Amino acid sequence: MKLLIVEGNTAEARDQAVAAGSMAQSTLYHKTLEWLKPGISCDIVYPADGSVGLPDADRLNNYAGVVWTGSSLNIYEDDPAITRQVDFMKLCFESGAMIFGSCWGLQMAVVATGGTVVKNEKGREVGIARDIAPTHQGENHPMFGGKRGIFDANAIHLDHVEKIPEGATVLAGNEMSEVQAIEIKRGDAIFWGVQYHPEFDLEYMSYIVRKYKQMMVDEDICESNEAAEKLSSDYLAVHNDQTRKDIIENLEIGEDVLDPCLRLKEIGNWLDFIEKPLN
């Protein structure tokens, strides 16, 4: 199976992640996909940097599917790093691609098909998104096969879907965002997307909290830099040692976050789907 990974971040943001001892989101996604499907082949493109190297519709047909990562960008800003990505998402739909997107990827698909994304008036959802509930359509959707009803997931986003595209199906939501998962069909193209980040493990969440600790203090998510640092350290400690019941109980981290087989169900189900599309 050969996939195309679309990195949503700029070169500057990717370099910052590497300099901080982490990795670009496309690299993390590549590792995740290889873990789920050993032997998978992936190419990565960087439309935020420019149009060079982006496949045309014919080349897109050489891929079994297209995966979109998250991004630190805001889709409603007028920036070529963003508009190039919207255009490329439109091309993915026009080519009849099978597409999966996390967070930014979901927002891209919504905007590219006529919906809108705005800043969430309730604030930023960061850390563990709580009580994500499948809709009736979501309960019966193959993306959630094997999930255990209402669940938590790793997340970071300030923006969310305000208006869904015509014909789209909302698959899950929670108190913070009514659209936590969606399916969009256009012609032969099928998009499955989630507003949260199943591909983020607690090690990556530790990096995210450390990176945005001042923002989390400014937005009253953490009471101090020290509290944010402790949260980052606690995430990393649990990632390295799941016997740390003290932290797990204090932060209320469930198996839906701790067990990679549960956490990655949506992506794994999509990989199965594009291998054997349902009628």
Side-chain angles (χ1 to χ4, degrees), residues 229-247:
E229 285 284 2
K230 185 177 187 307
L231 180 60
S232 175
S233 297
D234 284 350
Y235 280 158
L236 185 58
V238 172
H239 174 80
N240 292 327
D241 181 5
Q242 290 198 12
T243 68
R244 291 296 305 272
K245 300 301 182 184
D246 55 328
I247 300 174

Side-chain angles (χ1 to χ4, degrees), residues 121 154 156 219:
E121 294 181 353
N154 294 327
I156 176 169
E219 296 181 5

Side-chain angles (χ1 to χ4, degrees), residues 14-29:
R14 301 194 304 272
D15 290 344
Q16 287 175 353
V18 173
S22 187
M23 65 187 80
Q25 292 197 32
S26 51
T27 304
L28 176 64
Y29 237 123

Side-chain angles (χ1 to χ4, degrees), residues 4-55:
L4 181 68
I5 300 173
V6 184
E7 168 69 60
N9 282 297
T10 62
E12 180 183 8
R14 301 194 304 272
D15 290 344
Q16 287 175 353
V18 173
S22 187
M23 65 187 80
Q25 292 197 32
S26 51
T27 304
L28 176 64
Y29 237 123
H30 195 176
K31 290 178 178 294
T32 300
L33 293 166
E34 287 181 323
W35 187 84
L36 285 166
K37 192 77 66 174
I40 201 168
S41 173
C42 297
D43 293 334
I44 302 175
V45 292
Y46 307 94
D49 299 352
S51 299
V52 176
L54 293 182

Side-chain angles (χ1 to χ4, degrees), residues 1-7 26 28-46 53 55 59-69 88 92 96-101 190 266-277:
M1 182 187 293
K2 187 174 184 179
L3 300 178
L4 181 68
I5 300 173
V6 184
E7 168 69 60
S26 51
L28 176 64
Y29 237 123
H30 195 176
K31 290 178 178 294
T32 300
L33 293 166
E34 287 181 323
W35 187 84
L36 285 166
K37 192 77 66 174
I40 201 168
S41 173
C42 297
D43 293 334
I44 302 175
V45 292
Y46 307 94
R59 284 178 57 203
L60 278 172
N61 290 328
N62 294 327
Y63 296 98
V66 182
V67 176
W68 285 71
T69 75
F88 188 60
C92 290
M98 300 292 103
I99 316 165
F100 188 92
I190 301 176
E266 294 89 331
I267 303 173
N269 288 336
W270 178 75
L271 290 172
D272 291 342
F273 172 70
I274 65 174
E275 277 193 321
K276 301 176 181 178

